[in-house]
Amino acid sequence: MKKLEASGLTTEEIIQAYRTILLGRRLDERLWQLTRIGKTSFNISGQGHEVGQVAMAMAFQPEKDYFLPYYRDMSACLVWGMTPKDILLGSLGKEDDPSSHGRQMPNHYGSKEHNIVSHSSTVSTQFPLATGVAYGAQLKKADYVTLTATGEGAANQGEVQEAMNFAGVKKLPMVFVIENNGYAISVGVDEQYANEKMSDRGPAYGFPGIQVNGNDFAETYLAFKKAADNARSGKGPTLIELMVTRLTSHSADDDHSIYRTKEDLAGLREKDGLTLFEKQLIEEGYLSQEELKAIDSDLRKEIDQATEAAERMPDPTADSILDQVYAD
Amino acid sequence: MKKLEASGLTTEEIIQAYRTILLGRRLDERLWQLTRIGKTSFNISGQGHEVGQVAMAMAFQPEKDYFLPYYRDMSACLVWGMTPKDILLGSLGKEDDPSSHGRQMPNHYGSKEHNIVSHSSTVSTQFPLATGVAYGAQLKKADYVTLTATGEGAANQGEVQEAMNFAGVKKLPMVFVIENNGYAISVGVDEQYANEKMSDRGPAYGFPGIQVNGNDFAETYLAFKKAADNARSGKGPTLIELMVTRLTSHSADDDHSIYRTKEDLAGLREKDGLTLFEKQLIEEGYLSQEELKAIDSDLRKEIDQATEAAERMPDPTADSILDQVYAD
Amino acid sequence: MTMAMMTYLEAIKKGIEEEMARDERVVIFGEDVGGVKGGVFGVTKGLAEKFGEERCFNTPLTEGQIGGLAVGLGLVGYRPIGEFQFADYILPAVNQLISEASRMRYRTKGDWTAPVVYRAPYGGGVRGGLYHSQSTEKVLFGQPGLRIVTPSSPHDAKGLIKAAIRCDDPVLFYEHKRLYRLLKEDVPEEDYTVPLDKANVVREGEDLTVIAYGMVLNHALKAAETLSEEGIEAEIVDVRSLYPLDKETLVKAAKKTGKVLLVTEDNLEGSIMSEISAVIAEEALFDLDAPIRRLAGPDSPSMPYAIALERAFLVDEDKVRTAMRELAEF
Amino acid sequence: MTMAMMTYLEAIKKGIEEEMARDERVVIFGEDVGGVKGGVFGVTKGLAEKFGEERCFNTPLTEGQIGGLAVGLGLVGYRPIGEFQFADYILPAVNQLISEASRMRYRTKGDWTAPVVYRAPYGGGVRGGLYHSQSTEKVLFGQPGLRIVTPSSPHDAKGLIKAAIRCDDPVLFYEHKRLYRLLKEDVPEEDYTVPLDKANVVREGEDLTVIAYGMVLNHALKAAETLSEEGIEAEIVDVRSLYPLDKETLVKAAKKTGKVLLVTEDNLEGSIMSEISAVIAEEALFDLDAPIRRLAGPDSPSMPYAIALERAFLVDEDKVRTAMRELAEF
Ligand SMILES: Cc1ncc(C[n+]2csc(CCOP(=O)(O)OP(=O)(O)O)c2C)c(N)n1
Ligand SMILES: Cc1ncc(C[n+]2csc(CCOP(=O)(O)OP(=O)(O)O)c2C)c(N)n1
Ligand SMILES: [Mg+2]
Ligand SMILES: [Mg+2]
């Protein structure tokens, strides 16, 4: 059975998925560059999460569904409608940054225009918020679905349980995702939780919990499709544990070579969903090696242009510091 | 099969259990009296929880095990070593009240002497504390076990999840209890959680979760015995959901006839573990009707004496208001 | 204007009810808030029946969730009111209130907002012991983006809750649980609001200025009547807007008499009165004829249960009167 | 006395290490605290290896649990140190800190106690944006039973953390993250402690009194040097004990010069400086020659990320110097 075809998506959609996955990778590489040369002060990266995130996000209807992401969700936000320039404006702390207008650190993705709700740095506070957004759908009799994400470490926060518990009680139209990359900064899963799978927590709140391999595009897409469909049709929430890989250090302030074993680090490339996805594209005849390359060089150009455009944009000015503390 | 005998306890122990169960009931009745006549301002009652609590507490070794109770746990505290006078001193807000020296509201049971840790009114804050007490056993290489309790509504608090998660990770020698009486003040379980059983949450944190019928003395005792043994022998924590009945209104400030159905209220007596226990005692030949009566009148006398003794004790004086804010 | 006699509690209930009738985006929830109980104090009694279980509902016993649920509903256009059963139980929700509600507007420069109301009964003198008596407003005070208000009369209770519900900012609305049934007065049946950002001079006087809110404000008002017979006339200001403060009114009232007594039933240190003192010391120093005096509870961790201890903690009418007299005679 | 050059960070680490060596009841934990990482700032690096994984360990990412775990360990005789990775992330643990840690002793009249230390890096100027820059001490300030301290020099850092660990009260220990590597000085290698309840006059002067702590205290010290060349001599007091305050020292220093400048990098309103102002206004009013002046961040919800905004928020050396000069010339 062909792996990508199993998703049921069209060739066009699969190629579009690939473009977004690669865009996420190349854009993040650009953010690291900007950090290294001091044009931004920080980056936290979704490398190794891209395939899972794109497959996840494609299962939703971004023009009406809400997304409450966490800091690694750049690729999912691209599917939801944010542009590379939007992301860059945030990293550069520019006035037109749709996430925060330069007020939050980089990677705090949000966009009113695209139904992507702003998140804080305090992990997992978006979970209770997401239940409010989802309860709004019930009140409005609207058929939008709400998706919210966090990491496997942050998923242990009490607020996450409280939110999932409420979602179970109200059968809210929503999907919870735990992106499990095995680490919370330096803390491995053995020190983070003792249950076998984080997805086990869904049933503990009265709804399904499913673990999926985030490097398996079709498996991920189908699991989220089903979860989104269930939510939309009134069958209530689902928790999905998305198994992914953290290819980089936790953030620009971290060096994972200190606490990850040599074997772990050496094995990372093999666990890179992007490479696997490219192999599948070629094997299943979607794209040739040449075409992959062409897409890559297209995207690099797009990112260069976006970077230039973003850099030219104005910074927030000191006199705006008290704007929008309160209404009026 | 005889129900009580199945516990494996001696005749003496079973009769002792009965005395404590009945003492809990009669003492609580006294607290209600004191409230009605204005000698204390408040009561919150464990009526309907007594059989389960006594069976639970008897599975521990109060001379070394720690207990972090919640406000309905009077009967369990009696097993742990508190006396009726201790309880009364608390309800009357007396200086010698071992729970709080008159500083907390009634029913906030605690006793340094008996390893019963003070609890706040803020529900479930004792759960994280209990993990600290239990981690202390690991550090000391001591073989005490830590028991902590809350209600099925309060068990949804985020701090409960965080504590259970930690206990799973460290395989702490402890037992968590959720006393499920079907109501959190007026809120029924359907509005409180959507999982079938609260005990399902144990496995979600990597350890066993067991639901037991708190009116079944032997079942309860054996489940806690096993949980305590497992904890003591290094096999880690257990969550036990103790199914009990709330025979009274939530507290002296509540009137449950407003929100409980007529059938629910009418059926309460049938769900009273005390009556069932007495029937079993007679059926299985532990005690005669006469003997039951004799015990009852003994206990009533004991409570009368304790009440008189407690009432004679001094109140805290205004000038002590700033004592023990800080050390020194 | 048609008037109706109402308690402080009824006035709050009426305000909520009117807003729910006028704007279907208003929803209310919390522990025991829905169903037939309608709150442990009965503020929401009848609302579920009137507006349906979708708009007035029970939540599980989880305050962090109450805090965040409100923000989420606010994001998608609702006017949620989350009730904390006691002000003491805001504490598990502090993260949501500070990290989310109070910063949503600022961190998106207004793209997303949290037009939510949190209600919480606070205050002591009800034999509530350490955890049913607290004044927790100091914990949330000074978080720009969040408003904190509290009414001290039935009239203000109705107008202020209505203003809070209509406000585009998150508002933490404190209700003094001793005042619920203690105060009763004529309240307009018409629609009116009380501004969220204005202190209120509730009594005029020349001899000293008392600044307070809640139960102790009512003590000051009573004390002022008896002191008036002694020839002492107190200017009394109800802070009402606990945060941000209405500095203008407060400073003006301080300057007017030159003698300032700040009264709170909370502990002295870190209370709202400390900020008010600082504002006055900054802006009215040379108009003062006496040191600014703060009257407050002792610095014990909240209010003990035993009668003698509770009394020792409480700032009662006598203590207020004595402090007023002393200051007037300074 | 043998001295060794140490940064503020090294001094804290050394203090913890010495206490762990001297008292095996001391245990330390938090997110990334154990293992080889030893904290995101490296304060606990090496402690797990030295004292074992039982005494220095990682917790799951759950601050409420960190707060309560510490109290529980304190109950059974340990001297736990819980680390919050950033002071911003104390917020999920506020309930445990206020409802449990700060009230355990009082609510049992000393039968049970919580001799715990909570460490938290606070403060801005590190491009940390809204949630890695906050001064959250105002949230926990004024909770009797809880102590809050913060060192402003390497010397005090070592002595104060040691005193905190030995203290029978719960102590919230704030560490300014900008000072971690910025300050370096000779610190005694011997065992010493710095009292938890004493402010410290760090510079004597006659013209004005500056009261501050943390980064802005260090700005004031530098500004004082240059102002000295202009003939202005500032008395500078490090608050150090944020709660309870050492009122005696603060009031004395205020009276000495009659001109008081209170500096904090937090927002103005509800800050520790407001309480200090209130205390001085109460106890030193007639010794003042100028209104008490507070210099603080603007009332925006914490510190924005973009450079121009962060700068606009921060109270820097220039702003402190200007305020000092203005007040001296008043
Ligand atoms: C409440 C809170 N505590 C601590 C932090 C610091 N912190 C940021 S990310 C992180 C680890 C998160 O790990 P995980 O949830 O597994 O997500 P990942 O980064 O691996 O995707 C920590 C501890 C924070 N931001 N918020
Ligand atoms: C944090 C907090 N929120 C709310 C309350 C008010 N309250 C006290 S008991 C209670 C209901 C508890 O129900 P449950 O946990 O089922 O225990 P039960 O009383 O039924 O034994 C509530 C809401 C509280 N004490 N603490
Ligand atoms: Mg992770
Ligand atoms: Mg219950």
Side-chain angles (χ1 to χ4, degrees):
Chain A
M1 172 66 179
K2 288 183 171 175
K3 290 290 268 172
L4 295 178
E5 201 183 321
S7 68
L9 291 169
T10 65
T11 300
E12 233 178 14
E13 287 167 325
I14 285 176
I15 292 172
Q16 185 50 36
Y18 174 62
R19 286 188 74 96
T20 315
I21 290 165
L22 190 61
L23 178 62
R25 177 66 54 92
R26 294 291 174 252
L27 186 52
D28 185 66
E29 287 166 355
R30 170 55 46 89
L31 300 185
W32 281 107
Q33 275 177 346
L34 293 171
T35 313
R36 269 191 300 273
I37 62 176
K39 290 208 174 176
T40 178
S41 67
F42 184 76
N43 188 40
I44 188 163
S45 167
Q47 290 194 31
H49 293 224
E50 300 101 330
V51 172
Q53 283 181 18
V54 170
M56 162 179 88
M58 285 178 71
F60 292 82
Q61 300 175 19
E63 68 288 355
K64 67 174 168 193
D65 291 344
Y66 280 82
F67 183 30
L68 290 90
Y70 88 122
Y71 47 80
R72 293 203 200 280
D73 281 330
M74 183 172 78
S75 297
C77 287
L78 291 170
V79 178
W80 231 272
M82 290 184 80
T83 66
K85 188 178 164 198
D86 286 342
I87 306 288
L88 284 154
L89 289 168
S91 274
L92 297 166
K94 295 290 185 180
E95 178 61 37
D96 283 351
D97 154 35
S99 299
S100 80
H101 300 272
R103 289 175 170 192
Q104 290 219 72
M105 285 176 73
N107 318 100
H108 286 63
Y109 309 113
S111 165
K112 176 77 178 180
E113 184 189 348
H114 297 295
N115 297 338
I116 304 173
V117 174
S118 160
H119 66 282
S120 69
S121 312
T122 315
V123 295
S124 298
T125 49
Q126 64 274 20
F127 270 56
L129 265 57
T131 67
V133 173
Y135 189 67
Q138 286 188 340
L139 284 171
K140 291 183 193 183
K141 323 271 175 251
D143 72 342
Y144 68 78
V145 174
T146 303
L147 171 68
T148 190
T150 197
E152 87 288 350
N156 295 300
Q157 288 281 340
E159 292 182 1
V160 168
Q161 123 143 346
E162 295 190 358
M164 295 206 287
N165 183 58
F166 183 81
V169 169
K170 293 288 180 192
K171 278 197 141 205
L172 295 181
M174 62 191 302
V175 181
F176 297 103
V177 198
I178 297 173
E179 300 186 24
N180 191 339
N181 60 16
Y183 286 92
I185 310 188
S186 72
V187 181
V189 291
D190 289 353
E191 291 179 295
Q192 201 65 248
Y193 58 87
N195 37 305
E196 200 194 324
K197 297 184 281 181
M198 288 302 277
S199 52
D200 293 343
R201 297 196 182 165
Y205 301 106
F207 51 84
I210 295 154
Q211 189 185 62
V212 301
N213 175 359
N215 277 347
D216 187 325
F217 181 83
E219 179 188 342
T220 303
Y221 173 77
L222 291 171
F224 278 96
K225 190 89 184 62
K226 185 165 169 215
D229 288 349
N230 280 347
R232 213 177 301 280
S233 60
K235 298 203 191 81
T238 305
L239 168 64
I240 296 185
E241 180 183 14
L242 188 63
M243 303 307 290
V244 292
T245 309
R246 200 186 85 191
L247 293 176
T248 64
S249 285
H250 172 73
S251 76
D253 292 337
D254 179 49
D255 174 5
H256 63 174
S257 72
I258 291 172
Y259 55 81
R260 281 175 102 154
T261 62
K262 284 221 176 69
E263 306 79 71
D264 182 2
L265 289 168
L268 285 181
R269 284 296 136 197
E270 261 166 55
K271 294 192 195 140
D272 183 353
L274 172 60
T275 333
L276 296 174
F277 195 81
E278 288 178 342
K279 214 187 281 171
Q280 289 170 354
L281 284 170
I282 292 172
E283 279 172 14
E284 299 185 24
Y286 286 97
L287 290 167
S288 67
Q289 190 69 53
E290 298 298 273
E291 287 167 318
L292 293 183
K293 277 211 179 122
I295 291 176
D296 195 5
S297 80
D298 271 10
L299 294 176
R300 284 175 192 274
K301 261 178 238 140
E302 189 185 334
I303 290 167
D304 283 345
Q305 282 162 5
T307 310
E308 272 170 52
E311 288 198 72
R312 274 197 307 269
M313 297 300 285
D315 295 318
T317 53
D319 61 4
S320 69
I321 182 138
L322 288 176
D323 289 358
Q324 295 289 339
V325 176
Y326 292 102
D328 301 340
Chain B
M1 173 68 177
K2 289 183 171 173
K3 289 292 269 172
L4 295 177
E5 199 183 323
S7 67
L9 291 169
T10 64
T11 299
E12 235 179 13
E13 287 167 326
I14 285 176
I15 293 173
Q16 184 51 38
Y18 174 63
R19 287 188 73 96
T20 315
I21 290 165
L22 189 61
L23 178 62
R25 177 65 55 92
R26 295 292 174 251
L27 186 52
D28 186 66
E29 287 166 356
R30 170 55 47 89
L31 300 184
W32 282 107
Q33 276 178 342
L34 292 171
T35 313
R36 268 192 299 273
I37 62 175
K39 289 209 175 178
T40 179
S41 66
F42 184 78
N43 189 42
I44 188 162
S45 168
Q47 290 194 32
H49 293 225
E50 301 100 330
V51 172
Q53 283 181 19
V54 170
M56 161 179 89
M58 284 178 72
F60 292 82
Q61 301 175 19
E63 67 290 355
K64 68 176 166 193
D65 291 344
Y66 280 82
F67 183 30
L68 290 90
Y70 88 122
Y71 48 81
R72 291 203 201 281
D73 281 330
M74 182 172 78
S75 297
C77 288
L78 291 171
V79 178
W80 231 272
M82 289 183 81
T83 66
K85 187 179 164 198
D86 287 342
I87 306 288
L88 284 154
L89 288 168
S91 274
L92 297 166
K94 294 290 183 179
E95 177 61 36
D96 282 352
D97 154 34
S99 299
S100 80
H101 301 271
R103 289 176 170 191
Q104 290 219 74
M105 286 176 73
N107 319 100
H108 286 63
Y109 309 113
S111 165
K112 175 79 178 180
E113 184 189 348
H114 298 295
N115 296 337
I116 304 173
V117 174
S118 159
H119 66 284
S120 68
S121 312
T122 317
V123 294
S124 297
T125 49
Q126 64 273 21
F127 269 58
L129 264 57
T131 67
V133 173
Y135 189 67
Q138 286 188 340
L139 284 172
K140 291 182 191 180
K141 323 271 175 251
D143 72 344
Y144 67 78
V145 173
T146 303
L147 171 68
T148 189
T150 197
E152 87 289 349
N156 296 301
Q157 287 281 340
E159 292 182 1
V160 168
Q161 124 143 345
E162 296 191 359
M164 294 206 288
N165 183 58
F166 183 80
V169 169
K170 293 288 180 193
K171 279 195 141 208
L172 294 181
M174 64 191 301
V175 181
F176 298 103
V177 198
I178 298 174
E179 299 185 25
N180 191 339
N181 59 16
Y183 287 91
I185 310 186
S186 72
V187 181
V189 293
D190 289 353
E191 292 180 295
Q192 201 66 247
Y193 58 86
N195 36 305
E196 199 193 326
K197 297 183 281 180
M198 288 302 276
S199 53
D200 293 343
R201 297 197 182 165
Y205 301 107
F207 51 84
I210 296 155
Q211 189 184 63
V212 301
N213 175 359
N215 277 346
D216 187 326
F217 181 82
E219 179 189 341
T220 303
Y221 173 76
L222 291 171
F224 277 96
K225 189 88 185 63
K226 185 166 168 213
D229 288 348
N230 279 348
R232 213 177 301 281
S233 61
K235 299 204 189 82
T238 304
L239 168 64
I240 296 184
E241 180 183 16
L242 187 63
M243 303 307 289
V244 292
T245 310
R246 200 186 84 192
L247 293 176
T248 65
S249 285
H250 172 73
S251 75
D253 293 337
D254 180 48
D255 174 5
H256 64 174
S257 72
I258 291 173
Y259 53 81
R260 282 176 102 154
T261 62
K262 284 221 178 68
E263 305 81 69
D264 181 2
L265 289 168
L268 284 182
R269 284 296 138 197
E270 260 167 57
K271 293 192 196 141
D272 184 352
L274 172 60
T275 333
L276 295 175
F277 196 83
E278 289 178 341
K279 213 186 281 169
Q280 289 170 353
L281 284 171
I282 294 172
E283 279 172 15
E284 300 185 24
Y286 286 96
L287 291 167
S288 66
Q289 190 70 51
E290 298 300 273
E291 286 166 318
L292 293 183
K293 277 208 180 127
I295 291 176
D296 196 5
S297 82
D298 271 9
L299 294 176
R300 285 176 191 272
K301 261 178 238 143
E302 189 185 333
I303 290 167
D304 283 344
Q305 283 162 5
T307 308
E308 273 169 52
E311 290 198 70
R312 275 197 307 270
M313 298 299 285
D315 294 318
T317 53
D319 62 3
S320 69
I321 182 138
L322 288 175
D323 288 358
Q324 295 289 339
V325 176
Y326 292 101
D328 300 340
Chain C
M1 199 133 50
T2 337
M3 305 293 265
M5 261 304 210
M6 274 180 218
T7 61
Y8 181 92
L9 188 150
E10 288 160 351
I12 296 169
K13 182 207 281 288
K14 202 81 185 54
I16 295 170
E17 206 177 306
E18 287 179 15
E19 291 305 300
M20 287 186 81
R22 140 179 206 283
D23 183 352
E24 62 175 23
R25 297 170 310 161
V26 180
V27 296
I28 188 162
F29 48 83
E31 297 153 13
D32 302 287
V33 158
V36 289
K37 180 141 175 113
V40 292
F41 294 98
V43 175
T44 56
K45 205 175 172 84
L47 296 181
E49 206 190 336
K50 190 153 186 174
F51 300 106
E53 288 280 1
E54 266 197 328
R55 289 181 62 202
C56 175
F57 59 98
N58 288 325
T59 63
L61 211 179
T62 52
E63 285 80 11
Q65 169 60 18
I66 292 173
L69 174 64
V71 175
L73 278 163
L75 290 170
V76 292
Y78 286 88
R79 298 267 152 180
I81 309 173
E83 175 180 299
F84 296 109
Q85 197 160 85
F86 284 83
D88 314 70
Y89 309 138
I90 291 179
L91 297 178
V94 164
N95 189 36
Q96 284 291 328
L97 268 57
I98 296 183
S99 299
E100 291 297 325
S102 79
R103 284 157 178 41
M104 182 58 77
R105 174 183 290 276
Y106 191 75
R107 77 173 188 232
T108 62
K109 214 176 180 186
D111 288 348
W112 295 101
T113 62
V116 305
V117 177
Y118 299 109
R119 294 178 39 243
Y122 80 107
V126 296
R127 301 299 307 285
L130 300 181
Y131 300 96
H132 295 85
S133 309
Q134 288 173 88
S135 297
T136 51
E137 59 272 25
K138 71 162 64 149
V139 177
L140 282 312
F141 178 82
Q143 295 297 338
L146 184 68
R147 293 185 182 280
I148 312 179
V149 300
T150 192
S152 304
S153 71
H155 172 276
D156 281 5
K158 186 177 160 196
L160 213 50
I161 189 73
K162 289 168 73 89
I165 294 168
R166 295 184 198 177
C167 178
D168 290 331
D169 298 317
V171 180
L172 183 48
F173 189 89
Y174 276 97
E175 305 168 7
H176 199 291
K177 62 178 95 76
R178 274 269 279 152
L179 298 184
Y180 270 149
R181 298 191 157 81
L182 192 74
L183 296 186
K184 213 176 165 110
E185 69 180 1
D186 263 336
V187 169
E189 297 212 64
E190 275 80 15
D191 185 42
Y192 69 98
T193 59
V194 164
L196 296 171
D197 54 358
K198 289 276 170 284
N200 187 24
V201 178
V202 285
R203 187 183 194 283
E204 306 245 8
E206 302 294 329
D207 298 321
L208 81 159
T209 301
V210 183
I211 298 177
Y213 57 89
M215 189 67 219
V216 293
L217 178 90
N218 284 279
H219 290 331
L221 280 170
K222 287 208 178 151
E225 294 314 310
T226 57
L227 287 173
S228 175
E229 292 161 23
E230 300 176 22
I232 298 172
E233 295 299 341
E235 173 105 352
I236 299 188
V237 187
D238 179 2
V239 182
R240 211 158 58 179
S241 309
L242 304 190
Y243 187 79
L245 290 166
D246 173 10
K247 293 183 205 171
E248 205 184 308
T249 304
L250 299 172
V251 169
K252 200 174 140 202
K255 284 185 176 173
K256 177 174 172 191
T257 70
K259 291 180 176 180
V260 182
L261 175 65
L262 308 173
V263 193
T264 176
E265 72 167 82
D266 195 2
N267 306 122
L268 183 71
E269 296 187 83
S271 71
I272 311 290
M273 292 306 150
S274 304
E275 179 63 35
I276 295 179
S277 174
V279 168
I280 295 172
E282 240 160 26
E283 304 197 9
L285 188 84
F286 296 122
D287 299 282
L288 296 182
D289 303 317
I292 302 168
R293 171 93 211 274
R294 290 177 296 166
L295 177 64
D299 279 319
S300 72
S302 184
M303 212 172 289
Y305 171 73
I307 296 178
L309 295 175
E310 190 182 72
R311 283 207 193 121
F313 191 98
L314 281 172
V315 173
D316 60 20
E317 195 185 318
D318 272 351
K319 290 180 195 169
V320 177
R321 186 182 295 105
T322 307
M324 286 170 71
R325 192 184 291 115
E326 274 172 19
L327 187 58
E329 288 166 359
F330 185 91
Chain D
M1 196 131 52
T2 337
M3 303 293 265
M5 260 307 211
M6 274 180 217
T7 61
Y8 181 92
L9 187 150
E10 288 160 350
I12 296 168
K13 181 207 281 289
K14 201 84 185 53
I16 296 170
E17 205 177 307
E18 287 178 15
E19 292 305 299
M20 289 185 81
R22 149 183 195 280
D23 182 351
E24 63 175 23
R25 298 170 310 162
V26 181
V27 296
I28 188 162
F29 48 84
E31 297 154 12
D32 301 288
V33 158
V36 290
K37 179 138 177 117
V40 292
F41 294 98
V43 175
T44 55
K45 206 177 171 83
L47 296 182
E49 206 190 337
K50 192 152 183 176
F51 299 106
E53 289 281 2
E54 268 197 327
R55 289 181 62 203
C56 175
F57 60 97
N58 288 325
T59 63
L61 211 179
T62 51
E63 285 81 10
Q65 169 60 19
I66 292 173
L69 174 64
V71 175
L73 278 163
L75 291 169
V76 292
Y78 287 89
R79 297 269 153 178
I81 309 172
E83 177 181 298
F84 296 110
Q85 198 159 84
F86 285 83
D88 314 69
Y89 309 138
I90 290 178
L91 297 178
V94 164
N95 189 36
Q96 283 290 327
L97 268 57
I98 296 183
S99 299
E100 291 297 325
S102 79
R103 284 155 178 41
M104 183 57 78
R105 173 184 292 276
Y106 192 75
R107 76 174 189 234
T108 63
K109 214 176 180 186
D111 288 347
W112 294 102
T113 61
V116 307
V117 177
Y118 299 110
R119 295 178 38 243
Y122 81 106
V126 295
R127 301 299 307 285
L130 301 182
Y131 299 96
H132 294 86
S133 309
Q134 288 172 88
S135 296
T136 51
E137 59 273 25
K138 71 162 63 148
V139 177
L140 282 311
F141 178 81
Q143 295 297 337
L146 184 68
R147 293 185 180 280
I148 312 180
V149 300
T150 190
S152 304
S153 71
H155 173 275
D156 281 4
K158 187 177 161 197
L160 214 49
I161 188 73
K162 290 167 74 89
I165 295 168
R166 295 182 199 178
C167 180
D168 289 332
D169 298 317
V171 181
L172 182 49
F173 189 89
Y174 276 97
E175 305 169 5
H176 199 291
K177 62 177 97 75
R178 274 268 279 152
L179 298 185
Y180 270 150
R181 298 193 156 81
L182 192 75
L183 296 186
K184 213 176 165 114
E185 69 179 2
D186 264 336
V187 169
E189 298 212 65
E190 277 80 13
D191 185 42
Y192 69 98
T193 59
V194 164
L196 295 171
D197 54 359
K198 288 276 170 286
N200 187 24
V201 178
V202 286
R203 188 181 192 281
E204 306 245 7
E206 302 294 328
D207 298 321
L208 82 161
T209 301
V210 183
I211 297 176
Y213 58 88
M215 189 68 219
V216 294
L217 178 90
N218 284 280
H219 291 331
L221 281 170
K222 287 209 179 149
E225 294 313 310
T226 57
L227 287 172
S228 175
E229 291 162 22
E230 300 177 22
I232 297 172
E233 296 300 340
E235 174 104 351
I236 299 188
V237 186
D238 179 2
V239 183
R240 211 159 56 181
S241 308
L242 304 190
Y243 187 77
L245 290 166
D246 173 10
K247 293 182 203 171
E248 203 185 309
T249 304
L250 299 172
V251 168
K252 200 174 139 198
K255 285 185 175 173
K256 178 175 171 188
T257 70
K259 291 181 174 179
V260 182
L261 175 66
L262 307 173
V263 194
T264 176
E265 72 168 81
D266 195 1
N267 307 122
L268 183 71
E269 295 187 85
S271 71
I272 310 290
M273 293 306 150
S274 304
E275 179 63 34
I276 295 179
S277 173
V279 168
I280 294 172
E282 240 160 24
E283 305 198 9
L285 188 85
F286 296 122
D287 298 282
L288 295 183
D289 303 317
I292 301 168
R293 170 91 212 274
R294 289 176 298 165
L295 177 64
D299 279 319
S300 71
S302 185
M303 212 173 287
Y305 171 73
I307 295 178
L309 296 175
E310 189 182 74
R311 281 205 196 124
F313 190 98
L314 282 172
V315 173
D316 59 21
E317 195 185 317
D318 271 352
K319 292 181 195 169
V320 177
R321 186 182 296 105
T322 306
M324 287 169 71
R325 191 185 290 115
E326 276 171 19
L327 186 59
E329 288 166 358
F330 184 91

